[in-house]
Amino acid sequence: MAAAAAAPAAAASSDAATATAEPEAGDEDSREVRVLQSLRGKICEAKNLLPYLGPNKMRDCFCTINLDQEEVYRTQVVEKSLSPFFSEEFYFEIPRTFQYLSFYVYDKNVLQRDLRIGKVAIKKEDLCNHSGRETWFSLQPIDSNSEVQGKVHLELKLNELITENGTVCQQLVVHVKACHGLPLINGQSCDPYATVSLVGPSRNDQKKTKVKKKTSNPQFNEIFYFEVTRSSSYTRKSQFQVEEEDIEKLEIRIDLWNNGNLVQDVFLGEIKVPVNVLRNDASHQAWYLLQPRDNGNKSSKTDDLGSLRLNICYTEDYVLPSEYYGPLKTLLLKSPDVQPISASAAYILGEICRDKNDAVLPLVRLLLHHDKLVPFATAVAELDLKDTQDANTIFRGNSLATRCLDEMMKIVGRHYLKVTLKPILDEICESSKSCEIDPIKLKEGDNVENNKENLRYYVDKLFSTIVKSSMSCPTVMCDIFYSLRQMATQRFPNDPHVQYSAVSSFVFLRFFAVAVVSPHTFHLRPHHPDPQTVRTLTLISKTIQTLGSWGSLSKSKSSFKETFMCEFFKMFQEEGYIMAVKKFLDEISSTETKVSSGTSEPVHLKEGEMYKRAQGRTRIGKKNFKKRWFCLTSRELTYHKQPGSKDAIYTIPVKNILAVEKLEESSFNKKNMFQVIHTEKPLYVQANNCVEANEWIDVLCRVSRCNQNRLSSYHPSAYLNGNWLCCLETSENALGCKPCTAGVPADIQIDIDEDRETERIYSLFTLSLLKLQKMEEACGTIAVYQGPQKEPDDYSNFVIEDSVTTFKTIQQIKSVVEKLDEPHETYRKKRSSSAKYGSKENPIIGKTF
């Protein structure tokens, strides 16, 4: 079940699926259904931003992605522009609930706080309306009264009091119990307090809670009393009633604030509850989502702030237990063996999806996980070759075959790119050497000859590294390249160069050249580079791409349209470059076993800046939090004072990690904390946001999942002042008081959750049932009428080579999809009825009448 188009999955994998007896519908009630959210897309560009009023009208802009008020992603700064081009792709798992997905455009300010120009805020339930397509959004004004996040737990009661003189007083009791999920203020947990007001036509009685220090989940537990109606004579006959006109006109308003101490308090949100909720009940207790103020974000000036172009794809998957997916997995995994391949379930999925990429993303991962990708990719590539008439255009289109291979290279080739390109790309991005050789774009004072030398230095260095990297090329890539080479030779037996162009069209054109020009997309750089570096990388990418194709085709001249590039490329028109390319292509498309000359290098898994609490290894050492650069490989977790530092301050071998778990906020009054429990003292780490914390916990759990002596229980809070805060045990070596989170085994380097991928494919089949039905009808029509088709019809775009086999496969697809519908519907009904409106999981939004 999915709310939108497919998104890349990054979760755990489970054992290989086989056909199993199906469980009875409803059995999933007793087992865990995983609800997994993910977000992918692209921040493209902004335009017509509001200029400065002074002589310098340009701005230095960047954009952030926020889950409610928590920033989870930030782009690079684009300098001196009112129409900044960001072009940054993003993907992450969403580990918590949220109301709004927001994009903020900022103006960078070195001396003061960055200025927020405008925002795009989309409700979670509206995200599916924008899925899978680029859209221009008008920037909305930012009002502090509209920037809210979190929820409040409230209880209301009406009491009847009899005074000494025999009169009756009706009293409203307001119990402010707690809040949850309040935002960070300047990167730190807030100091919240609440004001409680009884508001009516002629009254505004206000009271206030105590301030809770450094917490986003304050426990107030404070009770306030308000007189609701005037005292009246009391008789034994009268029953307790509150006059209707009073009830209709009164409401309780609770405002949350951050105590600013020496600066102005910050508004965090409010709720309004009419007192008439007690008309039929003696008490009312519920969780409420905090709302903006009534005047929040209602400015009429919404057209003069500019606009932002975004591509957003939000996915919410409900992944059932593994046994439910057995029949669908079996059908999909048989695809490489189906003759013809166009009649297979995997190929049909690509045919009926509106966007082939939606099908490719989960399909490649599932087939890759079961070692079925090479035969499937080979079969669909062979189908492509049948329609290729010119050897020079081999594998140049965006077919199912080329897209499958592109996605495969992104998955399995990530480490290959890191060890091959990253050191050189870091050097290019961190240097300020100019490489511009276009006379029109030269800046004042630039020397074109010096720039040519700089560019040639980078091209030579990168080219040399690539052609010497065949030992690092993943086996899966080599196997597919071998198949492509053999098929291309058979298709064009009279062309001696096609065996090379079939491989170079992928490895140079679609792999190395793309990674060079967009290093951030392949996680080789944290952000989109600045404009000058982008220009340098573009020139390098063009040259590398042409070297690959020119060397493989042995052309006598380059294919550049620009005169200045033709002149520059003459430097590389030597036999040595041609031979180096051919040797490299021979090596990566060979069936010979590769033997490494040395010990395999550790796999780089993740790095980034976080805060760690001092270990307190010395008596006089302060146990404060310090910013450090963390780096995780398949062998060790290290942290350094700054990025690029080779000397680690501290190292934890992966084999020594016993558990990785979240740390309760109450330990240090800090959000997004986790602990790495190892053979020495636990390492307490604070990530910058919930997404980053979730990613680090996930990858650390995976890399250490097979360690011996892993813990079965842990302490969710810290050991401070002589005891564990969670269970109050005084011994630092006391056994944990909470079971460790059970992780599902997964491949460290290729992170694949086969159940989730199958769920994605089920969702795609469900969304495309109408088109599947048309394809089924087309098979029936073709089987009856064998003559030539004279006019285009509804099924003329389908590839149907064998109508009988295709029809049979479609019947099987419909059958397994229908069987999967049953447990999904059962879970859907259970979910809709289990979370009571007003519970913490399903809080009330707005007023309740």
Side-chain angles (χ1 to χ4, degrees), residues 2 33 74 77 134 137 151 223 271 278 284 304 312 443 530 589 741 751:
V33 175
R74 178 177 292 209
V77 176
E134 289 187 359
F137 294 89
K151 47 194 169 187
I223 300 175
I271 64 168
L278 295 169
H284 169 76
D304 56 358
I312 307 166
K443 296 179 181 178
D530 61 76
S589 58
T741 305
D751 221 9

Side-chain angles (χ1 to χ4, degrees), residues 412-428 458-474 477 507-508 511-513 515-516 519 522 524 544 584 588 594 601-602 604:
V412 304
R414 182 177 295 184
H415 180 62
Y416 181 29
L417 289 174
K418 268 192 168 67
V419 299
T420 307
L421 300 185
K422 194 175 190 308
I424 305 170
L425 292 176
D426 287 342
E427 178 186 343
I428 295 169
Y458 286 141
V459 170
D460 272 333
K461 191 169 185 178
L462 204 60
F463 177 79
S464 177
T465 303
I466 289 172
V467 297
K468 294 177 181 177
S469 69
S470 61
M471 292 298 298
S472 302
C473 186
M477 289 175 63
V507 75
F508 278 101
F511 187 58
F512 285 123
V516 168
F522 290 83
L524 301 174
I544 291 294
F584 170 67
I588 64 171
K594 296 187 294 182
E601 295 184 3
H604 179 280

